[in-house]
Amino acid sequence: MATDMVVLQHAEVENGCCNKGPGYASPLQAMSGPNEALIYVTCIYTGTGKEKPDYLATVDTDPNSPTYSKVIHRLSMPYLGDELHHSGWNACSSCHGDPSAVRRFLVLPSLLSGRIYAVDTQKDPRAPSLHKVVDPKDIIEKTGLAYPHTAHCLASGEIMVSCLGDKDGNAEGNGFLLLDSDFNVKGRWEKPGHSPLYGYDFWYQPRHKTMISTSMGAPSTFIKGFNLQHVSDGLYGRHLHVYSWPGGELKQTLDLGNNGLVPLEIRFLHDPAKDTGFVGCAMASTMVRFFKKADETWGHEVAISVKPLKVQNWILPEMPGLITDFLISLDDRFLYLANWFHGDIRQYNVEDPANPRLVGQVWVGGSIQRGSPVVAEAEDGTTYQTQLPQVQGHQLRGGPQMIQLSLDGKRLYVTNSLLSAWDCQFYPEMVEKGSHMLQIDVDTERGGLEINPRFFVDFGAEPDGPSLAHEMRYPGGDCTSDIWM
């Protein structure tokens, strides 16, 4: 019966009352969609010392279910060494209005191996199955691209994937891969000679005929872990690349400077009429707002800055927050960010995007938690560490990393794995004992964040041993994969 209800809910989400294609007609309409009953989570064994394939976990998020906050299915990939990372859909709200389009396949790029998996979530949403594997050799032969990262569906039915380098991990080979609706390699999206300096994430805003991408660095730099010298050597990015959409011509490059070092995730506001958005700059620990100017070019400014902590017993005398993920609620009222090093999640009111206001904060991990050798120094010279609660008897490990928000904006999910090499370097205990997933209750009236004590997914208790949990997706879409036209 439970399976039937999930399938029915999945069909309602995708087809609506009028069968007008996947997703919703607008972000505000999406907020009235059904609560999430399932969530898919990419889980990693690559880089942990375990000779096991990465897998896609299905987690029950229905509070009335007997398996609430449990992993109810695991789809193992057929190969070793993938490093499943981000994910996307074959169709989303950008295809709303096309009754032939269905949000059926979850697209799983493998950062290290270069494979791209298409997973069928329609046959049985609670137990997805593997549909197709895109061979990295085919991608390299036809495009020269490797290290696939972000996947977005396009209104055309195609799938676009940012790739971070060539097969040897050089940044000069990066660009954007196009797959057709059957996951065949079509070629590159950007025009010849218009590839970015570095690659990572991207977001498009069709009404402004613009796509903007970010720039982490060359894969050969970051896949082995963090080396401070690489920052000094300029091997990490600090630019945004502005493209014509859908033309693929690089129109402008924005140098964010040291205040925008290592820009990772990027999101426009959800309202497709708006010409502004944010990018999280990890190493600088800033949120940079970008916007269209009167002359039709794009500008930028620092909107949020997380102050570094003065610390002892760490690799540097000052510790950045390291903003590794952020998202914006579907009504464009709130922005949420995760500080992987500091260990806190923050909620900002961004109804005035130029002047965000901090309205909520919760500590769920970090490098200065009690029991760690690292201590923070206050302005008066005293030292301190954060005291974290236990959740269902479990000590919280690692730092908050990927986040995902419910459609109604009231529940924020968080995992804690960044990249296996970085996990091993900064949070070895998490790699040894496994990561976890939390749910944060959100006050959408006045602002405020609080850990839900009923919800804890322990990836340290997996049948094949502790694993690392990364990105999350709902069967019906979410605020970090859906784009409106």
Side-chain angles (χ1 to χ4, degrees), residues 164-212:
L164 310 190
D166 64 14
K167 62 181 178 60
D168 298 317
N170 300 310
E172 290 80 4
N174 79 107
F176 303 94
L177 169 69
L178 271 184
L179 303 174
D180 67 19
S181 58
D182 293 319
F183 305 101
N184 299 307
V185 177
K186 291 191 68 174
R188 285 184 179 237
W189 170 76
E190 78 276 17
K191 293 286 189 285
H194 289 251
S195 297
L197 179 63
Y198 291 125
Y200 194 73
D201 196 26
F202 69 98
W203 196 278
Y204 61 91
Q205 195 75 316
R207 293 194 194 178
H208 296 280
K209 300 178 181 179
T210 296
M211 185 276 274
I212 302 181

